Amino acid sequence: MEKTDAVIRQLYQTTRIITKEMNRLLEQYELHSAEWTVIASIKENGIVSQVILAEHLNIEPSAISKSLNALEKKGFIQREEGSDKREKMVSLTSKALSLYPSWEKIVKQHREQLLQNISIEKLDDLFSTLKTIFFNAQNIKKQ
């Protein structure tokens, strides 16, 4: 197996195991890791349009719509019409805002465990490498 294959395979395996464990940790709140990502983005950015949210998270419109439907049913987000009737603005509910600190604590502890014993320099290098891979992936998509 070529090194490039091994690296990409390891990247996939790593993200899958991280996601699997995050799902297990958030299960008590009937929340999935993908939904957490959406909630965290809304919390960070405030009220945001559904289209901008999908672009920000690099998620297909149909996938973000599915996640938002699930979050709305759980009472974690609300959607309202934006400046035109086609635009949907998304915000967190008071229920989500009250649970957010508990979710954030779980996620933070998980991330600390994942990254324990890795120096700041190695984390900087990893971040830079991942950003380069992401940039390359975006450029392939545009060709």
Side-chain angles (χ1 to χ4, degrees):
M1 178 180 347
E2 290 185 34
K3 190 62 159 184
T4 56
D5 291 339
V7 168
I8 296 301
R9 193 165 122 223
Q10 186 64 54
L11 185 59
Y12 277 131
Q13 288 176 338
T14 302
T15 57
R16 278 194 294 267
I17 197 167
I18 290 169
T19 299
K20 185 178 179 181
E21 180 60 12
M22 186 59 62
N23 286 339
R24 188 189 68 75
L25 292 168
L26 292 171
E27 183 177 46
Q28 63 187 307
Y29 295 101
E30 297 179 9
L31 196 63
H32 300 282
S33 62
E35 294 169 337
W36 160 254
T37 302
V38 172
I39 288 171
S41 183
I42 297 169
K43 177 78 164 88
E44 181 181 317
N45 296 298
I47 299 171
V48 64
S49 80
Q50 192 168 315
V51 171
I52 297 296
L53 186 60
E55 289 172 2
H56 176 73
L57 295 172
N58 203 30
I59 299 174
E60 296 296 324
S62 60
I64 195 72
S65 183
K66 184 178 176 182
S67 290
L68 292 175
N69 286 339
L71 289 170
E72 198 168 33
K73 284 179 186 171
K74 295 174 186 181
F76 296 149
I77 62 117
Q78 58 191 16
R79 290 186 273 192
E80 297 175 4
E81 277 187 14
S83 55
D84 78 43
K85 292 183 181 189
R86 294 173 297 170
E87 182 180 50
K88 295 287 185 199
M89 301 303 291
V90 184
S91 61
L92 297 179
T93 62
S94 57
K95 178 181 178 181
L97 291 170
S98 69
L99 289 168
Y100 191 88
S102 299
W103 298 333
E104 187 177 42
K105 182 179 178 184
I106 289 168
V107 171
K108 185 177 181 185
Q109 287 175 340
H110 182 242
R111 289 179 180 165
E112 286 173 356
Q113 290 174 334
L114 287 170
L115 302 175
Q116 68 184 347
N117 302 321
I118 303 174
S119 70
I120 294 297
E121 293 80 17
K122 284 188 176 185
L123 287 175
D124 287 341
D125 288 344
L126 176 60
F127 183 74
S128 178
T129 301
L130 290 172
K131 290 288 279 186
T132 300
I133 293 169
F134 183 80
F135 176 78
N136 291 344
Q138 284 182 314
N139 285 335
I140 291 169
K141 190 168 69 172
K142 293 177 184 176
Q143 294 176 359

